[in-house]
Amino acid sequence: MSGHSKFANIKHKKERNDAAKGKIFTIIGREIAIAVKEGGPDPNNNSKLRDVVAKAKAANMPNETIARGIKKAAGDADSVNYEEVTYEGYGPNGVAIVVDCLTDNRNRTAADVRAAFSKNGGNVGTPGCVSFMFDKKGQIIVDKEECSLSSDDLMMAALDAGAEDINEEEDSYEILTDPNSFSEVRQKLEEAGIPMASADVTMIPQNYVSVDSEEASKQLTRLLDTLDENDDVQAVYSNLEENDSAE
């Protein structure tokens, strides 16, 4: 996996997202609502909520905002019910794209996602048409500058915590887990004092597609940006070569 700097990509996305903190907080707020409704308001007894709270803190969401979101989700029986829905399709040059959404209006979201694809040289396909090209994994990124452990010590700590693999890149480490054990691994590393630039269950491409055409690259940029900016979209995954200009 070396050569695809997840950390650089995450930093790039965070820089973009810093200009749109409201969008990030909206995403996490909806994840908090879903987690509380599924497993209750106590992070100690709700691993999904615990993971979302860790994600919220990594995104610099204020503790009061997190607590308020949990309290609202726990106490408001009439709060909006969000539905999880995933769309799959192809962008220009055959780039595979998976779009995870949380929506209170499935028809609106479907129309918006289809419009984003069709206006930018892509098309939405049937469920499963591209997801087989990705592996669902827990992914923890550790910034080398923030981590005091040697690569060997970090590897031992990660494997002892139950991680499947660890990859070293120029500026970061990527720790991979089975999605079902992600919460446990993340918590053990957190308890060990290991700083995390990001920690989430994600879709990792099995292979990457490079885009050489400038026009296709511009279309992909517009497509991915349009999806990212949609309030109903929680995450966008693609197998675009991460060094390409569209990312």
Side-chain angles (χ1 to χ4, degrees):
M1 284 194 180
S2 58
H4 305 285
S5 180
K6 287 84 182 169
F7 183 57
N9 198 37
I10 286 164
K11 283 201 294 188
H12 170 64
K13 285 183 176 177
K14 277 194 172 178
E15 285 162 9
R16 267 199 329 209
N17 292 338
D18 280 344
K21 275 255 188 277
K23 162 69 173 171
I24 295 303
F25 289 178
T26 296
I27 286 174
I28 295 173
R30 290 184 180 186
E31 290 184 7
I32 287 173
I34 290 279
V36 169
K37 289 199 172 186
E38 287 183 3
D42 183 359
N44 294 320
N45 298 318
N46 184 342
S47 62
K48 185 171 182 177
L49 178 59
R50 196 160 56 238
D51 291 338
V52 178
V53 168
K55 182 177 178 179
K57 290 179 178 178
N60 297 317
M61 180 182 273
N63 289 333
E64 317 88 76
T65 306
I66 297 171
R68 192 163 58 243
I70 293 172
K71 186 176 180 180
K72 181 180 179 184
D76 189 354
D78 298 321
S79 61
V80 176
N81 285 314
Y82 293 107
E83 179 183 3
E84 295 180 273
V85 58
T86 297
Y87 301 95
E88 302 179 29
Y90 288 95
N93 217 58
V95 171
I97 300 173
V98 178
V99 187
D100 283 344
C101 302
L102 278 178
T103 178
D104 60 348
N105 186 327
R106 192 173 183 138
N107 291 334
R108 177 194 66 223
T109 306
D112 288 348
V113 171
R114 288 184 185 281
F117 274 86
S118 63
K119 290 178 181 178
N120 295 290
N123 61 281
V124 175
T126 56
C129 68
V130 302
S131 55
F132 70 92
M133 302 179 191
F134 296 78
D135 293 321
K136 191 171 187 178
K137 294 286 183 184
Q139 183 191 54
I140 297 166
I141 304 296
V142 178
D143 181 353
K144 281 188 175 179
E145 289 185 358
E146 300 292 326
C147 184
S148 60
L149 296 180
S150 68
S151 57
D152 287 343
D153 287 343
L154 180 62
M155 178 177 288
M156 288 305 300
L159 295 177
D160 285 346
E164 290 184 340
D165 198 9
I166 179 168
N167 299 310
E168 182 174 359
E169 296 176 356
E170 185 177 343
D171 53 3
S172 63
Y173 301 100
E174 178 196 42
I175 299 168
L176 297 176
T177 79
D178 180 278
N180 294 323
S181 59
F182 164 75
S183 180
E184 182 183 354
V185 174
R186 185 204 60 74
Q187 188 173 7
K188 285 182 178 178
L189 294 179
E190 183 179 66
E191 289 169 354
I194 294 170
M196 304 172 204
S198 75
D200 214 347
V201 175
T202 187
M203 300 284 279
I204 298 177
Q206 295 165 1
N207 295 290
Y208 290 84
V209 173
S210 184
V211 176
D212 299 323
S213 159
E214 184 178 348
E215 179 57 32
S217 181
K218 286 180 179 177
Q219 284 184 311
L220 269 167
T221 298
R222 286 197 301 268
L223 171 53
L224 296 173
D225 284 350
T226 301
L227 291 170
D228 273 333
E229 290 163 7
N230 188 298
D231 283 344
D232 295 334
V233 173
Q234 293 292 107
V236 180
Y237 310 105
S238 82
N239 65 351
L240 175 67
E241 177 72 49
E242 289 171 352
N243 294 329
D244 285 352
S245 58
E247 279 290 296

